[in-house]
Amino acid sequence: MKNVEHIGIAVKELAAAEQLFSAIFSTKPYKRETVESEGVATSFFQINETKIELLESLSPDGVIARFIEKKGEGFHHIAFETEDIIAEMKRLQKEGFILLNDIPKKGADNKLVCFLHPKSTNGILIELCQEIRL
């Protein structure tokens, strides 16, 4: 793994959260994107090398909506950048970690992604990310 790619924050209302974080960071989000496969609308902020991803559920029964119902708004996941997501998935699986998907899928911000189950990572949802190369 190379570095922390971003930190994901679950929010009820993306527009309201964008206003809040715009005030905190003194900047606007650089990107807003819908990821249908995950059922989320996202908004990204970047401060120097640090990215923050805000996630709003597209439906009342979506994964983010269920998360907020159980735990409230706030920290959702931490994402790590990798050079070779397939090799990293195989390595982590051999180490005993549970993958939430068998193959990487297209995520937000031009990334291939895979998640590690929180049951195998001390309760933290971990995302692996690799830039999609054209």
Side-chain angles (χ1 to χ4, degrees):
M1 289 193 216
K2 290 171 52 177
N3 61 328
V4 173
E5 209 290 324
H6 67 267
I7 297 168
I9 299 173
V11 300
K12 288 180 182 177
E13 294 179 31
L14 198 55
E18 283 177 329
Q19 285 184 335
L20 173 80
F21 282 90
S22 288
I24 291 169
F25 299 141
S26 192
T27 189
K28 300 276 185 216
Y30 72 85
K31 179 185 240 182
R32 197 177 218 209
E33 184 177 352
T34 298
V35 184
E36 295 290 341
S37 64
E38 296 297 312
V40 296
T42 67
S43 182
F44 282 88
F45 287 84
Q46 185 157 359
I47 297 82
N48 298 316
E49 299 299 314
T50 303
K51 289 187 209 174
I52 302 293
E53 177 188 31
L54 305 177
L55 302 118
E56 174 190 60
S57 186
L58 294 175
S59 69
D61 63 340
V63 102
I64 295 299
R66 290 192 316 264
F67 175 88
I68 290 171
E69 192 175 296
K70 285 182 191 172
K71 298 185 178 186
E73 292 181 286
F75 176 79
H76 181 260
H77 69 271
I78 187 163
F80 294 96
E81 183 179 9
T82 77
E83 283 293 325
D84 184 343
I85 195 167
I86 303 262
E88 198 63 22
M89 289 169 67
K90 287 178 184 175
R91 181 187 75 79
L92 290 166
Q93 207 166 25
K94 283 181 187 174
E95 291 288 335
F97 294 97
I98 302 165
L99 304 179
L100 289 178
N101 43 299
D102 294 331
I103 58 171
K105 53 187 171 179
K106 186 172 180 339
D109 207 26
N110 196 42
K111 302 283 189 288
L112 289 175
V113 301
C114 174
F115 289 89
L116 303 181
H117 198 293
K119 287 181 183 176
S120 64
T121 58
N122 285 352
I124 303 295
L125 181 62
I126 294 178
E127 178 182 5
L128 305 177
C129 298
Q130 178 185 315
E131 188 82 25
I132 295 174
R133 298 177 191 111
L134 302 175

